[in-house]
Amino acid sequence: MKPKLGVGLLLLASLSLAAETGNLPFGSWSRASPGPILSPQGLGWESAGTFNPAVVFHDGKFIMLYRAQDTAGTSRLGFAESTDGTHFTRRPEPVLAPEADYEKDGGVEDPRLQKFGDTYYLTYTGYNKKDAQLCLATSGDLIRWERKGVILPAYQGNWNKGWTKSGAIVPEKIGGKYWMYWLGTAADKSDQMGLSWSADLLHWTEATETPVLAKRPGKFDSRVVEPGPPPILTKEGIVLIYNGADDKLVYRAGAAIFDLHDPRKVTYRSDTPIFSPEKEWEEVGQVANVVFVEGMVRQKDRWLFY
């Protein structure tokens, strides 16, 4: 029987990581909870796994959209809310369940949230047990969602030859365009990071001929380089936490900074991981040895990463 999956919470101070760079707005990483803060429950839609959360602060509460999996392997997005960012209350039913052909049987996965005006933009993976593709939905209240369809089709692109996932949208326009970092699969089957731009958040054009953040042989990200939470803008540039996996598929977190005026230009990248699996509930699961950061919220003088 596969071990169940849960959502973990990391607490970060606001001090810089002076050991490697003073450019990051985060301090040393420490776990804010001794175990998962959200775990599978019941016998239905969230009985096998609760993981891969997107988290935002909305109307005075922390709102989490999390991937929930049933015993058949179908994923839906659940909704949970919290006043402190740690203790969450769930809605009894999912807020997004597979309906479209590109989601059937496999489900909706890997949510990331970005807000423009009064509208939340949800990038997620639509998986139909055959193809995984990066999709988009919009909402004003984070509960009722309108599908916009597949925005990055699988098997297309300058270098991508496989699935598309993990759309992390930059929070502001740069050069009059919206920008999004995403995951694609290169010809050698490695998963690397791409970059696309859009005028309307619906139609996207690839911005580079090769991965914008490529794998690095011999390092913690030698096999997978995948965007984490949507990036933030600082005076140092576009700060993006990403998830890297080595040749043994051990997942750790890294950080990259892109030029504030040119999202294609990398100005900093961590040589070593900034967070790694250590606890039993991080080393054992459907995929072993994984910490995977997908949600991020600033709370006064600290950052909460999920």
Side-chain angles (χ1 to χ4, degrees):
M1 182 177 179
K2 294 180 179 179
K4 296 179 179 181
L5 299 180
V7 172
L9 171 66
L10 311 176
L11 173 61
L12 286 77
S14 61
L15 301 175
S16 63
L17 288 171
E20 191 172 345
T21 177
N23 296 338
L24 294 174
F26 316 118
S28 58
W29 297 54
S30 60
R31 292 166 178 80
S33 172
I37 61 171
L38 206 69
S39 296
Q41 66 178 10
L43 300 175
W45 62 279
E46 55 180 339
S47 59
T50 51
F51 52 115
N52 293 138
V55 186
V56 294
F57 194 72
H58 173 75
D59 286 347
K61 293 182 179 180
F62 295 86
I63 304 298
M64 176 190 291
L65 296 187
Y66 61 95
R67 177 183 171 188
Q69 196 174 62
D70 62 22
T71 55
T74 300
S75 294
R76 301 165 179 84
L77 296 189
F79 178 105
E81 62 183 16
S82 169
T83 56
D84 63 4
T86 305
H87 303 89
F88 282 84
T89 301
R90 308 182 224 200
R91 290 176 67 91
E93 300 297 331
V95 294
L96 195 68
E99 295 177 1
D101 289 341
Y102 50 83
E103 304 162 347
K104 288 290 180 64
D105 298 324
V108 292
E109 308 174 354
D110 308 331
R112 287 163 175 80
L113 288 167
Q114 190 60 272
K115 188 179 184 182
F116 294 101
D118 295 327
T119 302
Y120 282 97
Y121 289 79
L122 168 69
T123 57
Y124 69 95
T125 302
Y127 178 52
N128 60 8
K129 291 289 179 77
K130 178 174 178 280
D131 303 316
Q133 302 181 94
L134 186 56
C135 307
L136 181 71
T138 60
S139 175
D141 61 7
L142 295 164
I143 296 174
R144 294 176 290 271
W145 291 95
E146 180 181 350
R147 284 172 172 80
K148 300 298 182 180
V150 176
I151 55 173
L152 286 186
Y155 314 112
Q156 297 182 25
N158 294 337
W159 57 269
N160 175 59
K161 305 300 181 184
W163 295 353
T164 54
K165 293 184 175 185
S166 307
I169 301 176
V170 177
E172 296 179 13
K173 281 186 173 182
I174 296 176
K177 300 174 181 178
Y178 298 102
W179 299 84
M180 177 176 65
Y181 298 96
W182 48 272
L183 177 77
T185 304
D188 65 356
K189 305 299 183 182
S190 64
D191 296 321
Q192 303 185 58
M193 192 185 301
L195 174 67
S196 293
W197 63 268
S198 174
D200 59 5
L201 291 164
L202 301 178
H203 306 89
W204 293 87
T205 300
E206 201 163 354
T208 59
E209 293 295 324
T210 58
V212 70
L213 205 66
K215 64 177 184 177
R216 297 183 293 184
K219 292 188 178 292
F220 72 96
D221 48 13
S222 61
R223 172 63 181 77
V224 177
V225 185
E226 183 166 356
I232 60 173
L233 301 184
T234 74
K235 64 180 181 179
E236 304 296 343
I238 305 166
V239 178
L240 177 68
I241 298 299
Y242 70 92
N243 301 293
D246 60 18
D247 292 342
K248 295 182 180 180
L249 286 182
V250 176
Y251 276 80
R252 305 174 177 92
I257 301 178
F258 300 87
D259 188 273
L260 198 57
H261 305 290
D262 185 356
R264 295 164 293 194
K265 182 180 179 182
V266 182
T267 61
Y268 164 79
R269 187 175 181 181
S270 51
D271 286 330
T272 57
I274 57 178
F275 202 73
S276 302
E278 296 177 1
K279 301 296 184 180
E280 181 182 2
W281 49 283
E282 299 163 347
E283 295 178 334
V284 177
Q286 290 183 14
V287 181
N289 299 310
V290 175
V291 290
F292 194 94
V293 185
E294 197 162 322
M296 176 176 68
V297 177
R298 184 169 187 173
Q299 185 189 45
K300 297 181 180 179
D301 61 346
R302 66 179 187 172
W303 293 86
L304 300 178
F305 280 29
Y306 299 82

